Amino acid sequence: MDQARNGHDSRSIDPAAKEMLRIADREGYATIWERYEQQQPQCSYGQLGTCCRICSMGPCRIDPFGDGPTRGVCGATADTMVARNLARMAAVGSSSHSDHGRKVALLLKAVANGSNTDYHIADPDKLTAVAERLGIPTAGRSTAEIAGDVAAVAIDCFGNQGEEPIVFMEKYMPKKRFQRLRELEETLYRTTGAKTGLLPRAIDREAVDILHRTHFGCDHDPLSLVAQSVRCSLSDGWGGSLIATELQDILLGSPIIRPVKANLGVLEAESVNVVVHGHEPILSAKVVEMAQSPECRAAAEAVGAKRVNVVGLCCTGNEVLLRQGVGMAGNESHSELAIMTGAVDAMVVDVQCIYPALADLASCFHTKFVTTSEQAKIPGALHIQFEEHEADAIATRIIKTAIDAFPNRNKARVYIPQHTSTAIVGFTVEEILKALGGTPQPLIDLIVTGTIKGVAGIVGCNNVKVQQDFFHRTLTEELIKRDILVIGTGCWAIAAAKSGLMDLPARELAGPGLQAVCGQLGIPPVLHMGSCVDCSRMLNLAGALADHLQVDISDLPLVGSAPEWTTEKAVAIGTYFVGSGIPVHLWPLPPILGGPQVTKILTSDAKDVLGGWFFVEEDPKATADRMEQIIMERRAALGI
Ligand code: SF4
Ligand code: MSK
């Protein structure tokens, strides 16, 4: 495969990735890009969403261009198939985030009742703020009592069997949005005579509801299936993800604005390198902490290493980057490339976004590939089971595994591309408000005067179908040039960090208004808000603006994008943005285009009903044009 010519590589725009891909080509290491080529041509029924294998009379497929049957064996239409497939994606994505949130809630309960002593309440102020928001009394009560009550409310959001909306959503969602969804439910009942819920009743219940209604012979109505996808996704954004973010801040500390380094150059030739990869910082934060212990430092020195250097990948990397200032090795498509440096002594993974191919690749090196979760076992990996109540001991054992591997490193094979960028990170809602003097009013004033036209939230992954980071970077540059402040999370945030867009000099790339604001506040034009679950921070920022102005989120000049999306979690995020009233751009194409009715609901009807909708566009500049146009239309509607 010759994808690299004259410095151009159709696989990635990242300079470190390009160097590593030259090594991969030379040495014959398999990568996602090579396996993608081997998968061609990919199934067009799958791409359009019109295949169904829900029952054993299938699999059935419908050619949307009219060749062949127009219904599955049971009579299901293309729209039913597309809507059911989409609903299942939303359920899986929501469940992944929410199950992560559940574990944090259970840990908070264990810390509160004293059964876990490896963790503690790291941010009592945040605990008080969350408790007050939930209506939990705080005056004269101990931290443990308050934490116990917060944990109980969070845990109840997962399994409550009542019909009322989940408490976290009720207390956090801006009032006008909550009212709109409630009125919409009532209108749909009145006009159709059928119940169509939008406000989630319990986090687990909405995902189970989708598994039930997409069982053979249940819900075949595309609108009903899309509505439940929205409800389930809202239970993620305003439920599971929100709980994960808020409770992690309480247990692990709230992020502060700080500089970090990003890209493969954070690996150190003379140190034991441990890469943490996945999503749940309950483990990775401990690995970072225990790497500094006298025991681990002495063990590293004993094998001739300078120190234990823990660096991050993907979202668990984002979590430790924000809270502990840990260097960021890269985003999703960097995971194989990191191992190929030959300098990674252990890659420690928890859950989500971990290629199974990493186990094979690690076996070509001295690298220990360590799985830790009962939910993410990978053949060929070394499994060290993580238990929260023995976190210190297990994290130490993991680090010692890396230290033991260090002497086996073949120095002749080590190549660390010397690329890093500085990124100023940690822009939580609290930190943004602090920078603004404690209220959203200065940001609102800047938007009203047009100094900043609006805010774009960008999220999501790398996708082998898009040149790595190209869409992320080009779209972000285009938006800031137009005086649109860009905020975001996940692998997009890592792409922006690697490309220098989160460093102060990047303000030179911004339009005059945004440039002046960045100069005044001493911030970059592109703000890192965290990991995938921290998309809830973006919802909270939108909610703070909406409540301050007493409007709905859908009235604000806000727009979203997932320009290199890959996972089912991205489907859930995009859908809860839409359900919260924010228009969302997607690329690559979502697997819905084979269902004309579903496509119309999501790209057109949703606009009037929810105030948020999806649109697809493959060109970054055209995407920025459309996002700017939406922002300008919303400004005009507000009379600004
Ligand atoms: Fe075919 Fe219907 Fe079974 Fe799907 S549920 S596989 S469309 S028969
Ligand atoms: S890690 S969901 S590839 S952003 Fe959150 Fe990156 Fe997408 Fe996973």
Side-chain angles (χ1 to χ4, degrees):
M1 173 163 88
D2 183 14
Q3 292 179 312
R5 278 196 206 97
N6 304 325
H8 175 78
D9 194 312
S10 61
R11 294 166 289 186
S12 179
I13 62 162
D14 180 292
K18 288 188 201 175
E19 287 185 22
M20 292 315 300
L21 284 167
R22 278 200 287 276
I23 292 175
D25 293 343
R26 191 186 70 215
E27 301 294 328
Y29 301 134
T31 62
I32 46 166
W33 290 277
E34 187 182 330
R35 290 188 295 273
Y36 175 64
E37 290 297 324
Q38 288 165 0
Q39 283 292 332
Q40 301 309 309
Q42 287 178 308
C43 169
S44 51
Y45 294 98
Q47 285 170 339
L48 294 165
T50 54
C51 56
C52 180
R53 50 178 185 80
I54 275 174
C55 86
S56 72
M57 292 197 289
C60 301
R61 55 189 195 175
I62 293 175
D63 181 334
F65 304 109
D67 288 337
T70 57
R71 288 180 180 257
V73 175
C74 67
T77 64
D79 271 304
T80 296
M81 291 182 188
V82 166
R84 278 198 300 220
N85 291 338
L86 176 74
R88 286 185 170 207
M89 289 183 90
V92 174
S94 300
S95 299
S96 308
H97 284 149
S98 298
D99 204 36
H100 168 170
R102 180 205 320 279
K103 288 179 210 166
V104 188
L106 292 172
L107 178 59
L108 183 63
K109 180 184 172 186
V111 169
N113 68 24
S115 59
N116 186 308
T117 52
D118 282 29
Y119 296 87
H120 63 281
I121 306 295
D123 188 345
D125 292 342
K126 177 95 187 206
L127 173 67
T128 306
V130 172
E132 284 172 356
R133 191 135 190 193
L134 295 172
I136 293 167
T138 55
R141 304 184 72 207
S142 71
T143 301
E145 283 170 331
I146 301 168
D149 283 357
V150 169
V153 172
I155 291 165
D156 184 61
C157 286
F158 288 90
N160 190 295
Q161 301 300 317
E163 295 300 310
E164 285 306 303
I166 53 174
V167 174
F168 260 82
M169 173 186 235
E170 197 195 329
K171 302 291 187 188
Y172 276 74
M173 183 178 256
K175 287 174 198 61
K176 297 255 172 166
R177 172 67 10 189
F178 191 82
Q179 276 163 12
R180 180 166 178 164
L181 292 173
R182 180 152 260 174
E183 282 161 18
L184 198 49
E185 283 182 341
E186 287 162 6
T187 309
L188 284 166
Y189 200 1
R190 217 178 30 251
T191 53
T192 65
K195 258 181 150 177
T196 307
L198 288 164
L199 292 167
R201 301 153 293 184
I203 297 164
D204 292 347
R205 181 171 178 181
E206 303 314 343
V208 170
D209 179 301
I210 285 180
L211 298 184
H212 179 181
R213 76 171 64 210
T214 61
H215 182 271
F216 178 76
C218 283
D219 199 350
H220 299 91
D221 176 6
L223 178 61
S224 176
L225 285 158
V226 170
Q228 181 58 25
S229 306
V230 173
R231 187 194 230 177
C232 182
S233 300
L234 288 170
S235 82
D236 168 1
W238 297 94
S241 282
L242 178 61
I243 289 169
T245 296
E246 297 293 79
L247 274 48
Q248 281 170 183
D249 283 355
I250 292 170
L251 283 167
L252 305 173
S254 295
I256 51 164
I257 296 171
R258 67 167 99 217
V260 294
K261 293 282 180 202
N263 217 335
L264 289 172
V266 296
L267 294 167
E268 294 174 355
E270 67 282 17
S271 298
V272 173
N273 289 306
V274 179
V275 178
V276 288
H277 177 18
H279 280 79
E280 295 178 346
I282 292 175
L283 166 67
S284 54
K286 269 292 167 199
V287 171
V288 175
E289 187 188 325
M290 299 321 289
Q292 311 306 324
S293 69
E295 185 184 346
C296 288
R297 287 157 80 133
E301 280 164 21
V303 295
K306 186 173 123 196
R307 64 183 190 122
V308 180
N309 176 42
V310 182
V311 299
L313 264 176
C314 281
C315 279
T316 212
N318 277 327
E319 302 273 7
V320 291
L321 161 122
L322 292 192
R323 293 197 178 85
Q324 292 159 296
V326 166
M328 170 57 79
N331 44 5
E332 186 197 328
S333 297
H334 261 37
S335 55
E336 292 173 319
L337 309 180
I339 290 180
M340 286 176 203
T341 62
V344 174
D345 302 294
M347 181 176 280
V348 185
V349 303
D350 49 82
V351 290
Q352 302 165 22
C353 306
I354 302 148
Y355 304 152
L358 293 171
D360 277 351
L361 184 62
S363 71
C364 303
F365 296 85
H366 75 297
T367 307
K368 294 290 176 196
F369 182 63
V370 183
T371 52
T372 58
S373 167
E374 71 171 310
Q375 291 171 306
K377 301 188 189 102
I378 298 176
L382 167 68
H383 191 79
I384 300 180
Q385 185 63 49
F386 181 62
E387 305 275 7
E388 285 83 354
H389 59 278
E390 292 177 74
D392 291 3
I394 294 169
T396 301
R397 192 174 143 211
I398 288 171
I399 293 163
K400 292 245 180 103
T401 304
I403 293 170
D404 289 346
F406 177 81
N408 301 328
R409 196 191 280 180
N410 181 346
K411 291 203 174 99
R413 284 177 85 194
V414 170
Y415 180 82
I416 301 173
Q418 294 303 307
H419 295 281
T420 54
S421 299
T422 300
I424 315 293
V425 303
F427 290 91
T428 61
V429 179
E430 292 88 340
E431 287 289 278
I432 290 174
L433 291 180
K434 208 193 291 171
L436 294 171
T439 145
Q441 191 59 46
L443 178 57
I444 290 167
D445 293 343
L446 290 167
I447 293 173
V448 169
T449 57
T451 312
I452 293 173
K453 286 182 191 151
V455 182
I458 315 186
V459 303
C461 325
N462 287 138
N463 186 311
V464 70
K465 295 176 180 175
V466 182
Q467 189 183 25
Q468 185 197 14
D469 296 351
F470 169 71
F471 212 135
H472 287 321
R473 182 174 181 166
T474 314
L475 175 61
T476 306
E477 287 177 353
E478 280 296 320
L479 290 168
I480 60 172
K481 205 192 288 176
R482 298 160 197 234
D483 285 327
I484 295 168
L485 176 68
V486 181
I487 62 176
T489 63
C491 286
W492 165 82
I494 302 168
K498 287 188 297 171
S499 59
L501 288 169
M502 290 174 165
D503 199 3
L504 297 178
R507 67 171 178 242
E508 306 292 328
L509 302 173
L514 182 55
Q515 198 171 124
V517 174
C518 292
Q520 249 166 23
L521 297 176
I523 57 169
V526 176
L527 305 183
H528 193 313
M529 289 193 85
S531 65
C532 292
V533 293
D534 291 336
C535 289
S536 63
R537 298 192 200 272
M538 289 196 269
L539 291 180
N540 265 333
L541 182 62
L545 296 175
D547 270 345
H548 195 77
L549 288 171
Q550 297 182 339
V551 298
D552 191 353
I553 293 177
S554 58
D555 297 320
L556 297 170
L558 309 178
V559 63
S561 171
E564 300 184 21
W565 79 277
T566 292
T567 70
E568 289 150 318
K569 291 179 293 170
V571 171
I573 293 170
T575 308
Y576 70 63
F577 269 39
V578 166
S580 301
I582 301 169
V584 175
H585 158 259
L586 288 179
W587 190 260
L589 287 174
I592 62 163
L593 299 185
Q597 209 181 329
V598 176
T599 304
K600 182 169 170 293
I601 293 168
L602 290 169
T603 60
S604 170
D605 301 350
K607 188 173 184 173
D608 293 332
V609 182
L610 293 168
W613 68 96
F614 285 106
F615 61 99
V616 292
E617 170 56 58
E618 76 169 307
D619 177 69
K621 286 194 179 143
T623 304
D625 288 345
R626 181 78 187 105
M627 290 170 80
E628 183 183 15
Q629 187 195 347
I630 292 167
I631 282 175
M632 296 315 283
E633 284 167 4
R634 291 195 161 191
R635 293 181 60 88
L638 281 169
I640 58 175

